[in-house]
Amino acid sequence: MALFDLFRRRAAPPPPDPMELALAAFQRGDYAEALNLWEPLARAGDARAQSNIGACFAEGMGVERNPALALTWLTLAAEAGYPAGQRNLAALYLQGGGDAVEADPAHAAALYRQAAEQGDAQAQDMLSWMLLEGEVIPSDPEEAHRWALAAAEAGIASSMTRMGMLYHHALGVERDVAEAARWWRRGAGHGDADGQAMLGAAYVLGAGVEADPVTALAWLLRAQAGGSGLAQPFLGPARARLDDAGRAEAARRAALPLEEEGA
């Protein structure tokens, strides 16, 4: 028993993981501490730390915004093949960074594709959007659908809403208003304001779901509060179909926590 106690006293716990400590600091808003922990990792070649530092300089989190330093760190992470680094560098090139970083949307699209092909869901979402818009790279609705589906299944709400748009407008898929409403419901339930607006519109029009003005107005009010401009054209028609009690019920539902809406 004494030998066991001696062994137990000598068994030291493993040292804390600096990356985990940094992420915990970042999540509680202590960006300066996160940067202090990431810096030695980044200088030692850790692509994840390089990407995180670059993102902080790009967004001005814990440090003054510095596109030039963001470019340096994100390029290192991207060239190491780290998907989030490629995606963060793509975002920097998409918007540009003053004199330090000239906007290069075509290069951004290429970086998003590199990250998307490695399974980065946020990059898949952005690549899907770019393929649908067709302003930077040629429009390809079928490929846009493929990437949107991958991102949506990974939990990206904006891609869920985009899937609804693709089915509603028959872009890359056959038109299916019920499938569109199903995807809008998923996007709405995950908090996407545009998805909430389109689900509300579906309930106004009875497109893919049974018309229900109270449910319609509840989703449209929630979408409007979330900043979606897509809700505005449908608010008047939804209100016009309801009496004061119906409008009050819709407002009550719109104020509930999202999980209580029954999405």
Side-chain angles (χ1 to χ4, degrees):
M1 189 67 171
L3 286 174
F4 176 77
D5 288 342
L6 179 62
F7 176 80
R8 184 170 57 187
R9 286 197 299 272
R10 287 179 177 175
D17 183 347
M19 179 62 73
E20 294 304 317
L21 291 175
L23 291 173
F26 185 86
Q27 289 168 0
R28 66 174 180 266
D30 191 349
Y31 303 130
E33 175 63 14
L35 285 162
N36 285 336
L37 291 164
W38 279 327
E39 183 177 3
L41 298 175
R43 294 191 182 280
D46 187 305
R48 186 181 183 187
Q50 292 167 347
S51 176
N52 291 342
I53 289 176
C56 285
F57 277 115
E59 301 297 330
M61 295 182 293
V63 288
E64 186 176 348
R65 187 171 182 271
N66 189 322
L69 285 175
L71 179 64
T72 297
W73 286 112
L74 292 175
T75 298
L76 287 171
E79 289 180 347
Y82 183 57
Q86 294 164 342
R87 185 224 316 143
N88 288 331
L89 183 59
L92 184 61
Y93 275 117
L94 189 62
Q95 66 185 8
D99 295 335
V101 184
E102 183 177 353
D104 189 343
H107 187 38
L111 287 162
Y112 279 129
R113 183 177 292 279
Q114 290 176 28
E117 288 173 348
Q118 293 190 74
D120 187 276
Q122 294 179 59
Q124 292 168 344
D125 177 58
M126 284 299 299
L127 182 58
S128 170
W129 172 74
M130 296 178 90
L131 285 163
L132 193 58
E133 291 295 307
E135 294 181 0
V136 175
I137 52 179
S139 177
D140 187 334
E142 290 186 5
E143 190 181 3
H145 171 268
R146 179 164 64 88
W147 289 118
L149 178 60
E153 294 296 4
I156 304 297
S158 52
S159 271
M160 297 173 190
T161 298
R162 189 172 305 112
M163 287 289 293
M165 296 294 193
L166 291 169
Y167 277 103
H168 185 78
H169 296 293
L171 297 170
V173 291
E174 292 187 9
R175 189 167 193 263
D176 187 334
V177 293
E179 185 70 358
R182 185 180 77 84
W183 278 109
W184 286 332
R185 182 179 297 279
R186 287 187 64 181
H190 281 76
D192 186 74
D194 286 343
Q196 294 165 354
M198 296 313 300
L199 181 60
Y203 276 112
V204 170
L205 301 172
V209 292
E210 186 175 348
D212 183 338
V214 173
T215 300
L217 183 57
W219 280 115
L220 291 167
L221 289 171
R222 193 185 290 275
Q224 183 184 49
S228 175
L230 300 178
Q232 188 60 41
F234 301 98
L235 283 165
R239 288 192 176 105
R241 298 180 189 182
L242 296 170
D243 56 17
D244 288 345
R247 289 190 285 270
E249 172 61 14
R252 184 193 71 80
R253 290 192 200 176
L256 291 172
L258 186 58
E259 60 270 17
E260 295 184 27
E261 178 64 27

